[in-house]
Amino acid sequence: MATRSRRKARTSAPDTPRPGTARAPASGPAPTPAVAWDSVALGPLTGRWLLAGRDGRLTAYARTEGGLLRWTERTPGGPDWSGPDLFPVPELTDLAVGQGPDGYAHFVGRRRSPNGEAVTVTYHHAVQYQSGRPLGPWQDLGTLYRRPEMSHRGGPPVVAVDARGAAHVFVRNAGRGIHLKCQGAKGDWGDWQDLHGSKAFEGISAGSTADGRVELSAPGEKGISRWTRSAPGGPVDRDEDLPFLARDGSSVVLETAPGRVTHFWHAADGSGVFAHREGAGAHFLGGGPACGAVAATRGAVDGHDCTVLALRTVGGRTALAAYPTEHEAAGLWWTEIGEEGLESPALAVDARGRIVVASLSARGELLVNRQKDRSALSLGRWQRF
């Protein structure tokens, strides 16, 4: 990995622009002068780390040694951003983010604390209610197990939020199955539940649909295990496993029709991206070997509802492709864009309906590009923040 310059992050959310911000042509961002920073982005948060708030502004989130970094659009549709703003989160690791229909961003982190000669792992939850505003207080969600000798055996969390705004936290447990903790109708938290399962990897993913369905996808040694909560407050049911081997941490869930989801993942053998939807089976989408999670969103391209995908190639650059939603047989072509980045890219749709792609540079900066217009998937100039 390239050597990063040290960068100082703001600890509040002022509206004054950061000096030295540079724009560059579509071939990639131009270099910017090194500045003394106290904190750099070490990677994106787990989950969809580029989110649209209720006011239409996009927000990007990253993790750093000191906590959570955040960049926010100054106005809906951009192009200018404020940040990065630093929110200190001592000892929390593996930060994950999720969002419900109300636009609130939910964060869950894992804390590994020394406990004598052992380590205790606890989970913590916080919410950002409005774009550009501070996070609420962190709430302790406890440990997966009451027995001290078991408490360290919990994996990184993922979070999904249902239609009523209730967060669902999923974790790979000591038996390599799945534990769940979720909020009730009034925001109170229930106990940790063992959903069972076996041989799951740590890099699981979760998502939700507009009608309240919550889906969990867990790649593992035997295939992709799935769980579904079909309605808010209902039971969490084990779905039929998908008999495909996926890379750890590569899967994503996207709602591609009302109440219907498509699962995407990187094949374990490096052949490329696959998609699966109930009733449609699996489809090979190409893209070659890649790292991190697949990014997926839906947006308008030439007047058509398209699914847009992005991934980080083994060379570290972002690759982008699109096809008509739920028409995988139409084919797609992958194009590399931007410069080398950290882990997984992100996709979202801005307040003007344009597709936005974001990644984190090897120097820990936010890189943003967006669709020139909705008649094609041609991008404009890269911006560096």
Side-chain angles (χ1 to χ4, degrees):
M1 182 180 295
T3 301
R4 303 188 188 103
S5 60
R6 300 302 297 174
R7 311 181 64 198
K8 183 177 180 181
R10 300 191 184 103
T11 56
S12 58
D15 292 329
T16 54
R18 177 174 64 83
T21 300
R23 297 184 183 179
S27 59
T32 55
V35 183
W37 288 68
D38 292 335
S39 184
V40 297
L42 301 180
L45 267 61
T46 301
R48 301 181 186 278
W49 57 272
L50 182 64
L51 301 177
R54 297 188 68 178
D55 63 358
R57 290 189 291 166
L58 296 178
T59 304
Y61 301 97
R63 52 185 168 80
T64 184
E65 291 179 1
L68 172 68
L69 290 179
R70 184 188 72 189
W71 295 261
T72 307
E73 281 186 320
R74 296 185 184 279
T75 58
D80 295 326
W81 294 64
S82 65
D85 305 316
L86 171 63
F87 295 89
V89 188
E91 297 182 349
L92 283 190
T93 63
D94 307 294
L95 285 164
V97 61
Q99 186 183 42
D102 54 15
Y104 300 164
H106 291 252
F107 304 91
V108 178
R110 178 175 65 162
R111 171 176 284 152
R112 298 175 59 87
S113 304
N115 184 8
E117 296 182 356
V119 173
T120 297
V121 171
T122 54
Y123 297 89
H124 303 262
H125 170 262
V127 182
Q128 177 186 302
Y129 296 100
Q130 298 180 41
S131 301
R133 300 297 297 168
L135 276 63
W138 287 91
Q139 183 176 5
D140 188 350
L141 303 183
T143 64
L144 298 191
Y145 302 100
R146 295 181 179 178
R147 293 166 56 190
E149 65 272 21
M150 295 283 288
S151 64
H152 70 287
R153 301 180 67 182
V158 297
V159 57
V161 186
D162 68 18
R164 65 183 181 184
H168 294 58
V169 179
F170 298 93
V171 175
R172 202 276 299 266
N173 61 30
R176 301 177 68 188
I178 302 297
H179 261 60
L180 164 67
K181 191 180 186 75
C182 58
Q183 289 180 304
K186 297 181 180 180
D188 52 315
W189 288 91
D191 296 330
W192 285 101
Q193 307 172 46
D194 188 350
L195 302 181
H196 304 292
S198 64
K199 297 186 177 180
F201 299 145
E202 282 195 335
I204 60 180
S205 65
S208 58
T209 63
D211 64 357
R213 183 174 178 175
V214 172
E215 289 262 351
L216 175 71
S217 175
E221 294 181 9
K222 300 187 296 183
I224 301 174
S225 301
R226 299 184 301 149
W227 286 261
T228 300
R229 169 167 271 174
S230 298
V236 179
D237 298 317
R238 180 73 182 269
D239 280 342
E240 184 178 355
D241 291 352
L242 302 181
F244 303 98
L245 298 180
R247 286 189 179 275
D248 187 5
S250 71
S251 64
V252 68
V253 179
L254 178 69
E255 184 174 17
T256 51
R260 186 164 65 236
V261 301
T262 301
H263 295 260
F264 300 92
W265 67 89
H266 296 305
D269 63 5
S271 57
V273 176
F274 278 80
H276 181 277
R277 187 171 51 258
E278 288 189 13
H283 297 269
F284 176 61
L285 303 180
C291 308
V294 181
T297 194
R298 289 169 61 188
V301 179
D302 198 20
H304 300 285
D305 173 16
C306 287
T307 293
V308 184
L309 303 176
L311 53 81
R312 180 176 179 264
T313 68
V314 291
R317 299 183 69 187
T318 296
L320 192 68
Y323 66 92
T325 296
E326 295 198 343
H327 291 279
E328 289 83 3
L332 67 166
W333 292 265
W334 292 89
T335 302
E336 288 194 8
I337 56 176
E339 64 179 44
E340 290 187 20
L342 301 173
E343 301 184 25
S344 308
L347 292 167
V349 176
D350 71 11
R352 301 180 185 177
R354 296 172 300 180
I355 296 162
V356 179
V357 56
S359 66
L360 297 174
S361 76
R363 295 174 57 178
E365 301 157 308
L366 176 68
L367 305 178
V368 179
N369 205 333
R370 66 185 80 214
Q371 202 176 10
K372 289 182 180 178
D373 56 61
R374 299 171 68 182
S375 62
L377 193 54
S378 59
L379 300 180
R381 293 179 178 272
W382 281 95
Q383 294 178 287
R384 185 194 299 269
F385 301 96

